[in-house]
Amino acid sequence: MAGRWKNDLNWSDVTPKAAWLNRRQLMAGAGALALGGIAGPALAKLNAAPSQYSTAEKPDSWEVVTTYNNYYEFGTGKEDPARNAHTLTTEGWQVEIDGLVDKPGTYTMDDILKGTSLEERIYRFRCVEAWSMVVPWVGFELSDLLNRVGVQSGAKYVAFETALRPDEMPGVNSRVLDWPYVEGLRLDEAMNPLTILATGVYDEPMPNQNGAPIRLIVPWKYGFKSIKSIVRITLTDTQPATSWNKANASEYGFYSNVNPEVSHPRWSQASERVIGGGLFAKRKPTLMLNGYGPQVADLYSGMDLKKNF
Ligand SMILES: Nc1nc2c(c(=O)[nH]1)N[C@H]1C(S)=C(S)[C@@H](COP(=O)(O)O)O[C@H]1N2
Ligand SMILES: [Mo]
């Protein structure tokens, strides 16, 4: 990925939009016609404006974002997805949208991205787990898509499912999780403007190891809820199964508690390791709802997070 994202542009000095436009000019100047192979969606991204929710913190490098991953379908090591996910084929990708919706059906990526109400933006989010990084995702609000397919009044949850392709995913031959990978959100979590479907990172289409061609990002519960390579979205009246809950129900509940004051059964959640901090990786205190408390704390008011973990 020579010349992909070097320090020729300083993200702390320019607005994301200006950086993208500059980047485009640089690419044109360099005769980088390789980008020509990427159709509509990638072009839309170059004009994407930053979301109002973007953090001002400096994004981690392309290298960090695309080589420190969790995607168990390609192995359980952090470096396995970058090494193995090249086998995933994303051409002709389809997403089944079903359950309690007015317009159920099989949607191609074009169907999804060419929607009239849909606006792709840059979402520079803090993505926190036991570690944290800042990632400039490109995506759109999940609610845009859900509103377009028409959520019926009985729907209370949204269930998501990842592709299951034993031929392309070496990790699914091991029983480390019950495949396919599944996740779920309560409808109000799904409709929150911070919940996005992402199709790119920096100015590139989503790399396979990050969940190409379309994955969920729930920034305040990043590691748990942000399911990759989605092939099915189901609106339902019943709380859906989640992969981590199925794998270890006593440690991971549906809500995936991220309250730094409420420990996980086996470890404290009070601090995170800053990835991309170099050799002397810092730890810093983890904020309530990973720093998105002001936007999303209302979703959980009155809930006992020790019970609803
Ligand atoms: N299908 C699928 N989605 C997944 C996972 C996975 O193993 N399979 N891992 C989750 C976990 S544990 C994390 S921390 C994030 C990592 O996303 P990233 O590698 O893009 O940072 O993806 C989530 N989505
Ligand atoms: Mo994770």
Side-chain angles (χ1 to χ4, degrees):
M1 286 300 154
R4 186 185 290 264
W5 191 270
K6 300 218 231 64
N7 287 329
D8 50 5
L9 289 173
N10 192 339
W11 276 74
S12 54
D13 291 348
V14 292
T15 67
K17 186 168 188 184
W20 279 49
L21 294 174
N22 284 345
R23 175 70 177 160
R24 190 178 197 182
Q25 280 153 13
L26 282 176
M27 297 293 289
L33 290 172
L35 264 185
I38 310 157
L43 280 179
K45 282 172 204 165
L46 290 168
N47 299 315
S51 151
Q52 57 171 311
Y53 300 113
S54 283
T55 165
E57 288 170 80
K58 188 172 179 284
D60 279 285
S61 69
W62 170 268
E63 280 71 21
V64 167
V65 172
T66 61
T67 58
Y68 187 91
N69 300 107
N70 269 339
Y71 196 167
Y72 279 23
E73 287 86 336
F74 296 98
T76 55
K78 299 281 187 213
E79 284 157 22
D80 289 340
R83 195 163 34 226
N84 298 330
H86 60 92
T87 49
L88 180 68
T89 56
T90 56
E91 297 86 54
W93 197 268
Q94 295 183 329
V95 182
E96 195 77 31
I97 305 182
D98 59 9
L100 299 170
V101 291
D102 295 335
K103 294 177 218 154
T106 305
Y107 292 80
T108 65
M109 288 303 293
D110 264 8
D111 295 336
I112 291 172
L113 288 167
K114 303 255 162 78
T116 46
S117 67
L118 191 150
E119 215 186 309
E120 280 195 299
R121 294 194 189 88
I122 301 165
Y123 291 82
R124 194 195 288 183
F125 279 156
R126 297 190 67 235
C127 300
V128 183
E129 197 169 78
W131 42 265
S132 64
M133 51 175 92
V134 176
V135 184
W137 302 108
V138 179
F140 56 89
E141 292 178 28
L142 171 62
S143 68
D144 279 354
L145 180 63
L146 295 183
N147 288 333
R148 190 135 55 86
V149 296
V151 176
Q152 295 182 345
S153 60
K156 296 198 182 79
Y157 297 91
V158 188
F160 302 87
E161 189 179 308
T162 294
L164 174 54
R165 302 206 187 139
D167 295 346
E168 298 181 5
M169 297 172 153
V172 304
N173 299 309
S174 118
R175 302 204 161 235
V176 56
L177 290 175
D178 181 22
W179 315 106
Y181 192 100
V182 289
E183 251 311 331
L185 294 173
R186 215 171 54 189
L187 188 59
D188 58 350
E189 296 178 303
M191 297 306 265
N192 188 279
L194 287 179
T195 300
I196 62 165
L197 285 169
T199 58
V201 60
Y202 276 101
D203 52 358
E204 298 287 343
M206 188 66 72
N208 285 356
Q209 60 266 41
N210 292 88
I214 187 163
R215 55 96 52 102
L216 190 68
I217 304 284
V218 181
W220 68 97
K221 294 185 174 181
Y222 179 67
F224 292 106
K225 296 292 175 189
S226 304
I227 183 172
K228 297 179 168 183
S229 307
I230 294 167
V231 291
R232 182 184 293 268
I233 300 175
T234 307
L235 278 290
T236 163
D237 58 2
T238 346
Q239 185 172 290
T242 76
S243 280
W244 298 109
N245 176 253
K246 286 203 283 181
N248 191 338
S250 63
E251 296 195 2
Y252 304 111
F254 176 78
Y255 284 97
S256 309
N257 155 47
V258 289
N259 184 336
E261 288 154 21
V262 182
S263 289
H264 176 274
R266 280 188 292 126
W267 54 78
S268 160
Q269 306 197 110
S271 73
E272 67 210 38
R273 191 165 63 90
V274 180
I275 302 294
L279 221 48
F280 306 99
K282 296 164 285 184
R283 294 196 73 86
K284 64 179 177 189
T286 289
L287 300 168
M288 183 60 76
L289 293 160
N290 292 323
Y292 294 94
Q295 289 90 14
V296 300
D298 277 0
L299 294 171
Y300 311 105
S301 64
M303 279 178 64
D304 179 348
L305 292 176
K306 287 213 166 92
K307 270 195 217 123
N308 297 286
F309 61 97

